[in-house]
Amino acid sequence: MNEVFLLDVGSGKLVFAVGNKSDSGVYNVKNIASCEYDGYYKGEFLNPDGLEESVRQTIAESGYRGKISKLYVGVPTDFVKVRNNQVKNAYRSSRTVTDDTLDELYARGNIFDGDADYVAINCSARGFILDNKFRCVNPVYESATYIDADLTYILCSKKFCDIIERVAAAIGVKKVSYISSFWATCVQLLPADVRETGAAVCDIGFSNTSFGIVVGDGLECAESKSIGGANIAGDLYQVLDIPYASACTLVNKANLYQETDNGSCYNVVVDGKPQQFNSFGVNRIIQARLDDFVGFIAGCLAQTPNFSSDVVYLTGGGIAGLKGAAAYISRQLGKRLETIVPDVPTYGKSYYSSVFGTFDVADKLEKSKNVLKRFFDKFRR
């Protein structure tokens, strides 16, 4: 069974994983490790020259010592653009839709080859309408004389590809394939029936947050903002004038369910000495930052007036350990928040959503010879 080699690029950490997934859905994770690195900000790596060493370290800490012929790379939303296109095709008589039919539609819909700064890496369908009446996500084996395809194309920054491919070449990787990690998280972690009419997903990471509307197997939109869990600790560091490490500890101790000033305190060691911080005051500092997440999500929703839902699906490790954070955002947003995690023993945590969502797509590509794999091959650099 072919092994998948995955490098998931996060805003604060790199994750390297090796393994595969059985036909019955059992994960065989042979190697996995995560390492902190300098990250990125607004579509630029903060230390591109140091990326190779960070990747080498992550691979080494996973325990993997062999060669990597093909590396799948999870691309963050900061480095991608989502573009939608509608393609229509009429036939002289009714015909059975095949993979080749979809290949033709996907190829016709790709009008983005002329982009100087981006290259198409993913294509998927938000849905198909057959003969102006029957809507579905996968029309293969259906019969139709007319097909109306709503397609999503994800474009990746060529600058990102160039940096990754220089690193890949330096460590002996022959081929690199790119997958939008946010798209993969949406389509792999949410059931098909939830995605059929559209679902809002928010991924809050270390220093970056992604938001998008997933419809079928595609994205209606995807946006990112340079705020994450690290900003919460950063606020405490600045306002309380304490070391950043102590601020991180304070975040882990915080409990936002405590909403009144009853004189309670959080106890944290600062410079080797125990200190107390008023719980209510600390919570107000944290809530002020969470309001930024609320504003970002609300702003994205306001830009999609045709989409309406009482639920926002939340994932990512940025605020996963902060007690009461999701409840606070839900209350301020006026929406129900439902946390989604990968259905993987040992790794069923929000932190691993991007890793295993992308891993699932990569594993399917390794095994499949259908339209999806062929289309990815077309756009591989």
Side-chain angles (χ1 to χ4, degrees):
M1 187 177 292
N2 291 343
E3 289 186 337
V4 169
F5 298 89
L6 170 68
L7 177 70
D8 191 51
V9 179
S11 57
K13 291 184 179 181
L14 300 173
V15 181
F16 178 74
V18 181
N20 49 48
K21 192 175 180 182
S22 72
D23 293 337
S24 60
V26 176
Y27 288 85
N28 178 21
V29 182
K30 297 181 178 179
N31 305 84
I32 188 168
S34 64
C35 290
E36 294 182 358
Y37 79 121
D38 292 309
Y40 57 84
Y41 181 73
K42 293 186 177 180
E44 298 283 347
F45 283 110
L46 296 178
N47 182 16
D49 294 335
L51 186 60
E52 178 187 333
E53 182 56 36
S54 297
V55 171
R56 288 185 183 276
Q57 179 188 354
T58 309
I59 295 173
E61 292 198 11
S62 77
Y64 183 75
R65 297 291 183 268
K67 294 183 178 180
I68 304 172
S69 59
K70 178 164 43 176
L71 181 67
Y72 288 94
V73 176
V75 186
T77 310
D78 248 31
F79 297 93
V80 304
K81 296 193 300 187
V82 173
R83 294 291 182 265
N84 292 317
N85 197 11
Q86 190 171 27
V87 181
K88 302 177 182 180
N89 213 356
Y91 307 99
R92 292 182 178 179
S93 60
S94 181
R95 63 184 294 179
T96 300
V97 180
T98 66
D99 286 339
D100 289 337
T101 309
L102 300 189
D103 265 350
E104 179 188 354
L105 293 170
Y106 289 147
R108 282 182 51 203
N110 178 31
I111 58 175
F112 310 104
D113 285 343
D115 196 304
D117 300 317
Y118 285 80
V119 60
I121 57 167
N122 297 167
C123 177
S124 53
R126 287 171 289 152
F128 298 86
I129 298 178
L130 308 183
D131 294 335
N132 293 317
K133 58 183 179 179
F134 175 56
R135 181 177 178 85
C136 61
V137 175
N138 182 9
V140 174
Y141 304 127
E142 300 286 348
S143 295
T145 56
Y146 180 81
I147 300 177
D148 188 345
D150 287 325
L151 305 178
T152 292
Y153 294 82
I154 298 181
L155 315 183
C156 179
S157 162
K158 291 181 179 179
K159 185 182 295 185
F160 177 92
C161 295
D162 290 341
I163 293 173
I164 292 296
E165 284 166 21
R166 282 199 297 269
V167 171
I171 63 176
V173 174
K174 295 181 180 180
K175 181 183 287 188
V176 180
S177 293
Y178 301 96
I179 300 171
S180 164
S181 52
F182 179 70
W183 166 76
T185 299
C186 292
V187 298
Q188 294 302 130
L189 268 62
L190 285 176
D193 61 335
V194 172
R195 293 183 275 112
E196 186 174 353
T197 56
V201 181
C202 183
D203 185 336
I204 299 178
F206 177 75
S207 62
N208 194 270
T209 295
S210 298
F211 178 89
I213 307 294
V214 56
V215 181
D217 290 334
L219 292 174
E220 188 71 23
C221 61
E223 302 290 341
S224 67
K225 186 173 183 178
S226 297
I227 54 172
N231 294 91
I232 299 172
D235 291 342
L236 295 173
Y237 156 78
Q238 290 187 332
V239 175
L240 302 178
D241 193 24
I242 58 176
Y244 186 76
S246 299
C248 291
T249 302
L250 192 52
V251 172
N252 292 332
K253 287 180 175 287
N255 184 351
L256 301 186
Y257 289 114
Q258 180 179 306
E259 299 177 355
T260 58
D261 190 358
N262 60 6
S264 65
C265 295
Y266 298 128
N267 298 307
V268 175
V269 175
V270 178
D271 295 329
K273 298 179 181 179
Q275 286 193 25
Q276 292 186 329
F277 298 90
N278 179 266
S279 302
F280 183 74
V282 169
N283 287 1
R284 291 298 295 272
I285 296 171
I286 294 174
Q287 289 167 348
R289 175 57 70 177
L290 292 180
D291 287 338
D292 287 344
F293 295 106
V294 173
F296 172 60
I297 297 170
C300 290
L301 288 171
Q303 294 179 31
T304 55
N306 295 328
F307 172 80
S308 178
S309 175
D310 294 330
V311 181
V312 173
Y313 293 92
L314 179 67
T315 192
I319 62 169
L322 178 52
K323 292 182 286 292
Y328 179 83
I329 293 176
S330 174
R331 186 167 61 250
Q332 297 299 103
L333 194 61
K335 303 279 186 182
R336 188 171 83 252
L337 260 63
E338 291 190 11
T339 301
I340 52 175
V341 299
D343 185 18
V344 186
T346 308
Y347 303 103
K349 301 176 181 178
S350 296
Y351 169 80
Y352 289 108
S353 294
S354 174
V355 177
F356 282 95
T358 310
F359 182 92
D360 273 0
V361 172
D363 184 74
K364 288 178 179 178
L365 292 175
E366 279 301 295
K367 294 174 180 174
S368 177
K369 298 299 180 184
N370 66 9
V371 59
L372 183 62
K373 180 173 176 58
R374 292 201 299 274
F375 193 83
F376 271 69
D377 285 338
K378 288 177 184 177
F379 286 147
R380 241 174 231 140
R381 289 165 57 87

